[in-house]
Amino acid sequence: MDVDVNVNEQEYLTIAFPKGKLFGLAKELFSRVGYTAEGLTEKSRKLIISNDNKKIRFIVAKTADVPTYVEHGAADIGIIGKDVLAETEKDVYEVLDLGFGKCHLMMAVDKTKRRPKLADYAHTRVATKFPHIAEKFFTHKGMQMEYIKLNGSIELGPLVGLSDSIVDIVETGTTLKENNLEEIAHIMDATARLIVNRVSYKLKFKRIHSLVENLESILKRGDLLL
């Protein structure tokens, strides 16, 4: 059966935005290249927000779910932090560093219980929401650790005796200081990334490639408020 070319031209491009700190800048960046939809807000009760004229659909999802939507093709494109991308290890294309949402992953401990060397923490407990990243880091250092997965208030781990250290995201370091914690090891830097479903990248290559080039142009001009 012959494929109707017009059908392909009218296909929607589905984009997954993460809730939270990356949403506003992602929305602003995409609006600069004409990718908008009426009612696109982080708190929208609509699960899918569409621009039928431009054949665009937006999904606003929990941050951790964005790579899953993209990997399985529920979204063609997603915006996600490099930290989440590295932790989930989803089978997607990472096509563009968007530059915003800058932070880094690190290891921190209670200042009053700091040990002389990093290796001195071998065989201790680490509280983290990034167990895969943490395990890779410590394995590379030749350290076996016990990992305790937490989803919020990671800083509580050492304070209540649940763990000896934490591996977490840091932006300003204020929360660490307020809880008497000190960073002792830098693990990785992270910024927002544009990811693409592997099949979509082939089937919708022309449109996705054009979008990426336009986004790159905006980022190179440096006029996005990061």
Side-chain angles (χ1 to χ4, degrees), residues 71-111:
E71 180 184 43
H72 293 282
D76 302 300
I77 291 170
I79 292 83
I80 193 65
K82 179 63 176 180
D83 52 313
V84 177
L85 189 59
E87 177 64 22
T88 57
E89 296 185 326
K90 296 297 184 182
D91 186 21
V92 298
Y93 286 129
E94 179 186 334
V95 298
L96 187 59
D97 183 348
L98 301 176
F100 55 80
K102 294 179 181 178
C103 57
H104 70 276
L105 266 79
M106 55 84 231
M107 176 187 182
V109 299
D110 186 327
K111 285 183 179 180

Side-chain angles (χ1 to χ4, degrees), residues 52-224:
D52 294 325
N53 290 330
K54 295 187 176 182
K55 301 301 179 185
I56 305 167
R57 291 192 181 104
F58 291 95
I59 298 172
V60 182
K62 287 186 176 181
T63 301
D65 292 338
V66 169
T68 300
Y69 280 115
V70 176
E71 180 184 43
H72 293 282
D76 302 300
I77 291 170
I79 292 83
I80 193 65
K82 179 63 176 180
D83 52 313
V84 177
L85 189 59
E87 177 64 22
T88 57
E89 296 185 326
K90 296 297 184 182
D91 186 21
V92 298
Y93 286 129
E94 179 186 334
V95 298
L96 187 59
D97 183 348
L98 301 176
F100 55 80
K102 294 179 181 178
C103 57
H104 70 276
L105 266 79
M106 55 84 231
M107 176 187 182
V109 299
D110 186 327
K111 285 183 179 180
T112 64
K113 299 178 181 178
R114 180 165 182 171
R115 304 180 184 185
K117 303 189 302 292
L118 180 63
D120 293 337
Y121 291 93
H123 304 288
T124 62
R125 290 179 295 177
V126 183
T128 183
K129 66 177 71 171
F130 302 98
H132 292 112
I133 294 175
E135 185 175 11
K136 281 187 174 182
F137 173 75
F138 289 115
T139 298
H140 180 71
K141 298 290 185 180
M143 299 167 63
Q144 290 188 345
M145 309 290 280
E146 179 183 348
Y147 303 96
I148 300 174
K149 178 70 159 42
L150 295 178
N151 295 307
S153 300
I154 308 301
E155 296 83 5
L156 265 177
L159 302 183
V160 298
L162 179 66
S163 67
D164 300 280
S165 63
I166 65 171
V167 167
D168 200 14
I169 283 289
V170 167
E171 292 181 59
T172 64
T174 301
T175 304
L176 292 181
K177 291 177 182 178
E178 290 178 348
N179 290 283
N180 204 37
L181 299 175
E182 182 178 4
E183 179 177 340
I184 64 169
H186 182 281
I187 296 177
M188 66 174 285
D189 294 314
T191 52
R193 307 299 168 99
L194 188 76
I195 58 174
V196 179
N197 174 269
R198 290 184 176 275
V199 175
S200 298
Y201 195 68
K202 295 177 181 178
L203 297 181
K204 304 178 183 181
F205 176 81
K206 186 175 181 179
R207 189 174 184 189
I208 291 174
H209 183 67
S210 176
L211 170 61
V212 171
E213 286 189 327
N214 290 337
L215 292 174
E216 278 185 310
S217 178
I218 295 293
L219 294 170
K220 286 178 180 178
R221 290 209 301 265
D223 58 352
L224 186 69

Side-chain angles (χ1 to χ4, degrees), residues 30-46:
F30 273 71
S31 70
R32 299 286 186 92
V33 294
Y35 275 62
T36 60
E38 185 177 352
L40 177 58
T41 67
E42 185 178 356
K43 296 182 179 180
S44 172
R45 294 192 177 186
K46 292 184 67 176

Side-chain angles (χ1 to χ4, degrees), residues 10-28:
Q10 295 302 313
E11 281 184 345
Y12 280 79
L13 199 63
T14 303
I15 303 161
F17 280 176
K19 294 180 179 179
K21 63 181 182 180
L22 298 182
F23 177 85
L25 285 169
K27 178 182 176 181
E28 180 185 349

